[in-house]
Amino acid sequence: MSNPIKHHYIPQSILSRFCDAEGQLCTFNKQVGKRGKKRHPAAVCYEENIHTLIHDGEKFTEIELFYSQVEDKFIKILKMVDDGLVNPIDIAPLKKEEEIYNIISLFLTFSFWRIPKRFNLASNARSKLREIYDQAPTENRGLIKYDRKLIRNIERKNASISIKIAQFIALPALLADANNPAIRQCWFYPTDFDQAIADDPIVCDVDENFMLTGEIYIPVGSRLCITNAPNKITQLHEKMFNNAVRTIMASSEECFSILHRNGSQETPDN
C-alpha cells in the first residue's frame, strides 16, 4: 500500500518502469518549459491525503486498499507480458483470457478517473451515478459492494467522502466494461523508442455515458504501452505530452526531444 499520507495517482510500480539505471526519473516541468531535478518515483505524481476518507472523525483507507488490489493484479499481467516479449514464448493465448481483459479494463478506467484534473468531469458524472449504477454489469456493482441506496447518498450528498468515493472508486469500477469496444481492442504493444510518462498518462475520449472511447493509449514501461491504435503510437505519445498538467518523466532526457520540436526550452530547473 502507498505512503499513508502521500497518495499516488500514478502507481509507483508503473513509474518505476520509466526509471534510469539508478532508479531515478528524469523530469520536465511543462509549465515553465524546463528540465527538473531527477526524482524517485515516490516523490512525484502524488497529493497528500487525496484518498483519505474521514467519517465521524475516523479515517478509512478503502480507496488505497482497492487500488493496491487492482495494481497487484495488473502488475502480474505485466510480468507475463514482459516474459513473453523477452523469452521465446507465445503470449497470444493471453488474449483469450477474459479475466485479463477485465483487469486491463479496470486499470484503464482507474488510470483515467484517479487523475486529480478529472474532478470537474467526475462531478458531472456523479450527478448521474444511479443511472450509471443501473446500467453497469452485475459484476461491476459487486466490485464496489455498495447498494443503490448508498449510491443515491453518494450522488446527492456533497461531502468530501462522497466526492472521493464517487471519483476514485464508484465511477472507475462501474464504468470498467471489458466489453466496451474501444477497450476490447486494447492490447500491449512494444515500442521501438523510449517512451516518457506524463502526470496525465492516458490518452482517450469519453462518450455521453462517461465510457472510455476513441483511440486509447497509455505507456506502461519505457518500451511498452497499451493501445487500441498500434499504428499511431508515436502520435498518441505526442498527444500525451500535450495533455500533461505539469510533469513529464522518463529514463533519459533524450525522451523529451518532442518538447524541443515543439519549441520548449531545456534549461535545467534547479
Side-chain angles (χ1 to χ4, degrees), residues 36 116-117 124 129 162 166 182 240 245 252 269:
K117 80 173 189 180
N124 293 336
L129 197 56
S162 296
M240 180 194 67
V245 178
S252 69
D269 181 17

Side-chain angles (χ1 to χ4, degrees), residues 24-78:
Q24 300 288 307
L25 291 161
C26 296
T27 64
F28 190 96
N29 187 319
K30 178 185 172 184
Q31 291 180 337
V32 297
K34 294 182 179 181
R35 286 183 289 120
K37 297 178 180 179
K38 286 189 174 183
R39 303 287 184 186
H40 187 273
V44 296
C45 297
Y46 72 85
E47 287 194 9
E48 292 189 0
N49 286 313
I50 190 173
H51 298 153
T52 299
L53 302 175
I54 300 177
H55 181 65
D56 290 339
E58 186 176 356
K59 289 186 177 181
F60 296 89
T61 58
E62 184 176 356
I63 296 174
E64 284 286 279
L65 289 171
F66 196 10
Y67 280 178
S68 67
Q69 293 170 6
V70 174
E71 291 161 15
D72 287 348
K73 292 178 180 179
F74 182 73
I75 291 300
K76 288 180 181 178
I77 294 175
L78 266 183

Side-chain angles (χ1 to χ4, degrees), residues 175-238:
L175 294 169
D177 186 357
N179 291 315
N180 175 345
I183 289 179
R184 196 71 185 185
Q185 295 172 25
C186 286
W187 193 245
F188 299 90
Y189 290 92
T191 64
D192 57 5
F193 65 94
D194 287 335
Q195 302 172 113
I197 186 169
D199 51 13
D200 181 5
I202 187 168
V203 175
C204 66
D205 296 316
V206 290
D207 64 18
E208 65 277 7
N209 297 314
F210 302 100
M211 302 285 287
L212 302 192
T213 189
E215 294 172 343
I216 297 174
Y217 161 87
I218 185 169
V220 291
S222 291
R223 290 278 180 130
L224 187 67
C225 69
I226 297 176
T227 186
N228 59 5
N231 60 328
K232 295 185 177 181
I233 289 174
T234 301
Q235 297 97 309
L236 293 170
H237 184 251
E238 183 169 348

